Structures are given as C-alpha cells and as structure tokens.
Amino acid sequence: AQTVTQSQPEMSVQEAETVTLSCTYDTSESDYYLFWYKQPPSRQMILVIRQEAYKQQNATENRFSVNFQKAAKSFSLKISDSQLGDAAMYFCAYRSAGYQLIWGAGTKLIIKP
Amino acid sequence: DSGVTQTPKHLITATGQRVTLRCSPRSGDLSVYWYQQSLDQGLQFLIQYYNGEERAKGNILERFSAQQFPDLHSELNLSSLELGDSALYFCASSPRDADYEQYFGPGTRLTVT
C-alpha cells in the first residue's frame, strides 16, 4: 500500500524568505500524481501544485515550486518570498491508481513578520 | 470558491444519532469523493462515486454509507454516531478531462456530544 510521510510537523520562516517543506512517499507504481494542498485556518482545502510522475521537469506555480526526485521518492515544496497569507497547514498527497488521494500528516507553516 | 458545495457547514448532534451530509459537485463533474479529517490530521479517504456508481472504497465504517443521485449530488449518511466520529468531512469532485485533480468543498464540521 502507498504511504506518504511529512516529517516536519511545523516549520517557521521569516516573511519574504524561502522555505522548503519535505515529503516522501512509498509506492510500487510507476505512473502517479503528487500534489501539495494548502489548508488555511478557514479549513478550505486548496490545491497549490501538481506533479505528474512521468514528467521530469519540476512543476512551478508562481512562488511555489517542487523538487521531484522520483528515484528517491521525494517531493518537496519550495515557497519563495514567503507572505503572511502563506501561513497554513500544507499537505502532501499521492494519487493512486485507485483514484483516491493518500495524504501525509501535514506541516504547519508559520510566517514571522 | 472551488464550485463544490457542502451542507450543512456545521452539525452538532448526540451519540447514537444519525446525520446526513450533502455534497453538490462542480458543474459537469461526474466523480465525487468523501474524506474525513480528524483534528489537525491528514485526510482519510472514505468512498468514491462515479456517475452514480460506487468506484472505490477506503476505510469507511459499516455505520457509514453514501450514495450519488441521478443529478450527481451525493449524500454521506453517518449512523449510531460516536464521539470519535467528530471530524471535518470533505467532499471533492473531479473534472471528466482531468480526473487526477480533485476540487474540495468547504467541508462539514460534525461535532458529536
């Protein structure tokens, strides 16, 4: 069975600086998707970025980018120029062949002004 | 706003009772997923429907059941409620041409007292 691990329960960063959130996963599949979701205090689940396993190029969405290392089964999220609105829980998720998402435990990101 | 709606937003009920949570997917989406999020934890997949048919089942308790209706809205029924069922319940839907992406509703906060 696939598993997703986020080893950092909490991270903090100074406003305007860069922070990297870690995620590792375990799977025997070769084709899959990986996601980062943001959950602010409102509890809404917001898709931040997606990575297709068959693509070697790392995905980028504005200030958010990923470092996808398929062989190492690692999928980290880099947030550049951190803003106060980035404060939230961040969840890494894996989409299995069964379509449902498998989730990590989350990392709480604190932005220091 | 993801386009996925869930009602009610909050629900407070007593142990042993039964409740129904409702979800309307985004216009045109055929897939509906249900997830449970206990306090500050990752999401647990419960069940998926596609165009009225059950497609995948996760760790859904026998006390829980779901269905998707011809108009594609879905209901999650929780019965014989226990204190441990208190959680945030999310519904998500996927577009037909990009079923790897899931768009989440705002969730229903269930409190069992």
Side-chain angles (χ1 to χ4, degrees):
Chain A
Q2 295 87 6
T3 58
V4 177
T5 303
Q6 293 180 249
S7 58
Q8 306 154 316
E10 187 174 296
M11 292 280 287
S12 63
V13 63
Q14 208 69 36
E15 192 177 3
E17 293 189 348
T18 296
V19 63
T20 298
L21 309 183
S22 301
C23 173
T24 59
Y25 58 95
D26 188 25
T27 185
S28 58
E29 298 174 336
S30 58
D31 192 18
Y32 49 86
Y33 293 86
L34 294 162
F35 303 86
W36 279 97
Y37 279 86
K38 170 185 176 180
Q39 187 177 38
S42 67
R43 298 293 187 177
Q44 175 75 48
M45 221 29 116
I46 302 165
L47 176 64
V48 174
I49 200 164
R50 178 188 79 245
Q51 176 76 45
E52 294 90 333
Y54 64 86
K55 287 187 178 179
Q56 293 190 344
Q57 187 173 5
N58 290 322
T60 299
E61 290 287 342
N62 301 313
R63 296 182 297 106
F64 298 87
S65 61
V66 299
N67 183 4
F68 173 50
Q69 302 289 329
K70 191 172 184 179
K73 295 179 183 174
S74 170
F75 181 61
S76 60
L77 175 69
K78 185 171 85 171
I79 306 174
S80 304
D81 186 26
S82 298
Q83 300 176 0
L84 294 177
D86 295 333
M89 285 290 290
Y90 285 82
F91 291 95
C92 178
Y94 171 101
R95 179 186 178 266
S96 71
Y99 303 102
Q100 65 268 27
L101 290 172
I102 299 166
W103 299 78
T107 297
K108 182 177 183 179
L109 179 63
I110 298 167
I111 311 295
K112 298 177 185 175
Chain B
D1 184 355
S2 67
V4 179
T5 60
Q6 289 187 248
T7 56
K9 270 191 173 178
H10 302 279
L11 202 47
I12 301 174
T13 189
T15 54
Q17 296 299 305
R18 172 189 169 96
V19 297
T20 297
L21 312 183
R22 182 187 170 105
C23 167
S24 292
R26 299 182 330 151
S27 177
D29 289 357
L30 299 180
S31 278
V32 168
Y33 308 78
W34 285 99
Y35 293 89
Q36 178 192 56
Q37 184 182 29
S38 299
L39 186 63
D40 289 333
Q41 294 183 16
L43 278 66
Q44 295 292 321
F45 169 70
L46 296 178
I47 198 163
Q48 179 203 359
Y49 279 84
Y50 181 85
N51 201 21
E53 299 290 325
E54 181 184 304
R55 178 175 262 187
K57 219 170 193 177
N59 298 324
I60 187 167
L61 300 172
E62 285 192 13
R63 301 183 287 108
F64 295 2
S65 65
Q67 55 184 321
Q68 186 179 27
F69 295 86
D71 66 353
L72 301 177
H73 91 272
S74 178
E75 293 181 356
L76 179 66
N77 301 295
L78 315 176
S79 61
S80 302
L81 285 168
E82 302 175 359
L83 296 178
D85 297 328
S86 295
L88 193 53
Y89 290 84
F90 284 105
C91 167
S93 71
S94 286
R96 301 183 202 205
D97 57 349
D99 67 353
Y100 46 80
E101 290 200 348
Q102 296 184 19
Y103 295 90
F104 284 76
T108 292
R109 165 73 68 189
L110 173 66
T111 302
V112 182
T113 61

